[in-house]
Each structure stands twice: as C-alpha cells, then as structure tokens.
Amino acid sequence: MNSSIPSTTLPLFRFYLRFLSFFCLIHWSSEVRSDVVTFGSGANTFDLTFQAILNLGNADDSTTFGGVNYAFGMSKYEISERMINIYNLDSQNSASPISYTSPGPGYGANKAATNITWVEAARFVNWLNISQGFAPAYWFRRADSTNITPWQSSQTSDYDALNQFRSKRTVFALASIDEWYKAAYYDPTLNGTGGYWQYAVRSDIAPNAVTSGTGARDVVYGQGANGVPADITQAGGLSAYGVMGMNGNVWEWTESPFNGVYTNAQVNRFLVGGSWADMQASVFAKGQTANYSPSTNIPQGGFRVISLIHTNGGDDGGFLAPLSSVPEPASGVVLLLMTATGCGRMFKRRNRR
C-alpha cells in the first residue's frame, strides 16, 4: 500500500499552512486577552476581569505619559459599590471601613463607587492582596489611620527605589499614571506601528455623550454635577485593550505623585479620565490634570486596579499566567512556519521511497 502523498498536492498543502500562519499572526496581534480573579468568600464574592496590557516598551505620548516596559493587567471595569460593601463586610477591615456616596435614585450596587479618597482606594487594594495571600501594596503604619508612608530601603522585600509607594512583592495595585494612560489611549495597531488615540474609545473624534451604554464611541459625560454614574458594565466604549469607561463616568485615582516625588506619601495624586459631568481627553500634560491630597473625598471620584506580572522574583500566583504562556505573535508564526517546512520535507522524503 502506497501511503505517500502525491507531490502535486505539496504546493497546496504549503499554501494552507502559510495561510494559517498569516491568520494566526493577525489573530494574535489583535486579540484582547483577559484573566478573571474572584475575591471575597461565600455568598459575598465578586470577580475582577483584568485586560492584558502588553506591547512592552512603547514610547511615551507627546504628553510624556504612557510609556511602560512591562506587561500588566488593567481591571476592565471600575470598582463598584457592591465591591466596596464586600470589603466592608470582611471583619479584618472593621478598623478601616470605606465610605462612599449613594444618596438615592441613580446610585446602586453595580454603579461605580464615588466620593472615594486615595487612602480608601489603597486600603481596598491592600485587602485584595492580603485576601489572596499576597503582600500588601501600600504601607500603613496603623490599621485605623491614614498614615500612609513610603516603603523604606531597610524593607528589602518591598522597597523599590523607582516607586517607593508600591511594594515590589505585591500583585494588585493602583495604576501609575503611565500604566493608566497606556491602557486608556495606546493602540498597538494604530497606523500599523502603534500610537495614541485622543479619546479612550479608539477615536480622535469627540465621543457620544450618554448616561449609559456600550457603543464603540459612547462616553458617560455631559450630565453636569447633578448627574449620576453608570453601571460599571455600561460605562461606555472600550479602549484598544478592552478596558471600559476610561473617559467619563467617574474620575479615577492613580498611584503616582503629582510632583513626581515619592518620598512623601501625603503628596497630591493624579486624578484622571473625567466623570459623568466632564470627560478628559489624552491631551493633558503633567501640569494640566486634576490632582488632590490622598485624604480628599472626591464626589465624582472612584478608581480601578491593576494586576502585575512579576519578573523580579515576586509570585503572581498564576494570575495572568494564561496570558504570559500564550506565544507572542512572532514565536507562534515561527512555530507554524517550522511545522510547514518540516511537513514539506517529510512528504518529500516519503514520496522518494
């Protein structure tokens, strides 16, 4: 029995393999990847979906923001009232509960939590880490105080000279201004080489002002101060990385000090993105964006969080591991081309027998 493949079929076979390689290149280049982590216990749980922010080493925008040389995950949605409630139900947080504004109609469990201080956002992030068995991101000298302080050089397991606020062992954190800006405005496919959109809905055209919605160019803004936040899953269109509501809905705290100095944890922090009243495009520069003391309640302010992929000996506990284990586009194509070449040679050898 002759099991060899006729040589006339080899060109067609190679064509199919090369077509598959090309398809995978396009697919891997444009795929938006994510990972889901569950927090809380029993009936009181919630999921955070983290969108993978890859494309390491992208350049800053003209605003001098956005360049990040490592991978991380950005929570797809803002933190909701229900998530804050679950934090408050945990007995370990009884000394430092988080308050938020929910004054009446238009607010609710799935709405973005508002009137949040930076300190409260940092405590929430610490709880995310501790509840999963990881190191806290931020150092509070007392559990019931706002006495946030930088990590000290003597704390070698946590201290990072480039960012003295964030423990280098932590998994969850507030986004730095560059991490936030990249997740909002950067698009690795823009103009074929990567670049920044003016708005966080993959557009340079002013978006649609809505009270709620998920249209590609929807942004929750234009309601004035008396408006209300949208549900976190109805907070507008997506950024290129698949993150929702990074313009409008609620202003979002970032980790970064406004003056660039990390030695004093009480310095003002960047507040970015806009709210249901007004949105913020990507044209802001370092001296042109909102900033407030970390203990200030922001009536239209909330936050979202990031998940880090460690390369410095820290343990990411498997979070985002499915992302980091997926071949990068180049390696995937090389593998397929090697397969095509190998199969072609194998069939040639079999046909010579």
Side-chain angles (χ1 to χ4, degrees), residues 138 144 157:
Y138 309 107
D144 60 348
S157 296

Side-chain angles (χ1 to χ4, degrees), residues 198-272:
Q198 185 173 349
Y199 300 99
V201 289
R202 293 170 289 176
S203 177
D204 290 329
I205 301 171
N208 306 318
V210 300
T211 58
S212 179
T214 59
R217 288 182 48 234
D218 286 353
V219 170
V220 178
Y221 78 108
Q223 301 177 49
N226 293 326
V228 294
D231 281 13
I232 60 172
T233 59
Q234 298 291 317
L238 302 176
S239 73
Y241 286 109
V243 184
M244 178 176 285
M246 299 196 80
N247 283 150
N249 207 39
V250 297
W251 289 94
E252 298 178 12
W253 284 109
T254 72
E255 184 182 76
S256 299
F258 184 71
N259 63 0
V261 176
Y262 285 88
T263 54
N264 177 8
Q266 303 303 321
V267 299
N268 285 12
R269 309 304 171 90
F270 284 102
L271 200 68
V272 289

Side-chain angles (χ1 to χ4, degrees), residues 39-41 44 46 84-98 122-136 140 142-145:
F39 299 91
S41 61
N44 297 311
F46 63 85
I84 299 296
N85 290 341
I86 291 174
Y87 164 94
N88 286 334
L89 286 171
D90 194 310
S91 60
Q92 68 178 304
N93 301 319
S94 60
S96 53
I98 295 174
R123 289 195 181 282
F124 182 88
V125 164
N126 276 2
W127 173 71
L128 295 182
N129 283 294
I130 294 168
S131 69
Q132 299 282 342
F134 300 120
F140 289 88
R142 294 195 309 275
D144 60 348
S145 78

Side-chain angles (χ1 to χ4, degrees), residues 2 9 22 28 38 74-75 79 96 125 129 134 139 167-168 181-182 191 209 225 241 249 287 291 317 330:
N2 185 0
T9 66
F22 175 77
W28 281 329
T38 301
M74 176 68 80
S75 61
I79 299 303
S96 53
V125 164
N129 283 294
F134 300 120
W139 183 25
S167 167
K168 66 183 181 182
Y181 195 98
K182 178 176 180 176
N191 299 321
Y241 286 109
N249 207 39
N291 66 99

Side-chain angles (χ1 to χ4, degrees), residues 41-253:
S41 61
N44 297 311
T45 63
F46 63 85
D47 291 338
L48 286 182
T49 299
F50 292 97
Q51 299 296 123
I53 314 300
L54 306 177
N55 313 105
L56 284 60
N58 63 298
D60 280 340
D61 195 6
S62 58
T63 60
T64 71
F65 294 126
V68 181
N69 63 1
Y70 48 87
F72 63 97
M74 176 68 80
S75 61
K76 183 173 183 176
Y77 307 114
E78 293 157 329
I79 299 303
S80 70
E81 292 183 14
R82 181 175 180 272
M83 296 174 189
I84 299 296
N85 290 341
I86 291 174
Y87 164 94
N88 286 334
L89 286 171
D90 194 310
S91 60
Q92 68 178 304
N93 301 319
S94 60
S96 53
I98 295 174
S99 61
Y100 58 84
T101 300
S102 189
Y107 290 78
N110 293 321
K111 302 287 187 176
T114 59
N115 207 36
I116 302 292
T117 71
W118 187 94
V119 168
E120 290 173 325
R123 289 195 181 282
F124 182 88
V125 164
N126 276 2
W127 173 71
L128 295 182
N129 283 294
I130 294 168
S131 69
Q132 299 282 342
F134 300 120
Y138 309 107
W139 183 25
F140 289 88
R141 292 189 176 181
R142 294 195 309 275
D144 60 348
S145 78
T146 61
N147 192 15
I148 179 78
T149 189
W151 296 99
Q152 306 299 303
S153 58
S154 59
Q155 298 167 300
T156 55
S157 296
D158 299 289
Y159 180 79
D160 182 348
L162 297 178
N163 182 353
Q164 297 166 37
F165 293 162
R166 180 191 294 176
S167 167
K168 66 183 181 182
R169 292 188 296 148
T170 201
V171 172
F172 305 107
L174 295 172
S176 71
I177 184 66
D178 288 313
E179 291 162 347
W180 190 96
Y181 195 98
K182 178 176 180 176
Y185 301 115
Y186 187 72
D187 184 344
T189 67
L190 185 61
N191 299 321
T193 57
Y196 292 86
W197 294 106
Q198 185 173 349
Y199 300 99
V201 289
R202 293 170 289 176
S203 177
D204 290 329
I205 301 171
N208 306 318
V210 300
T211 58
S212 179
T214 59
R217 288 182 48 234
D218 286 353
V219 170
V220 178
Y221 78 108
Q223 301 177 49
N226 293 326
V228 294
D231 281 13
I232 60 172
T233 59
Q234 298 291 317
L238 302 176
S239 73
Y241 286 109
V243 184
M244 178 176 285
M246 299 196 80
N247 283 150
N249 207 39
V250 297
W251 289 94
E252 298 178 12
W253 284 109

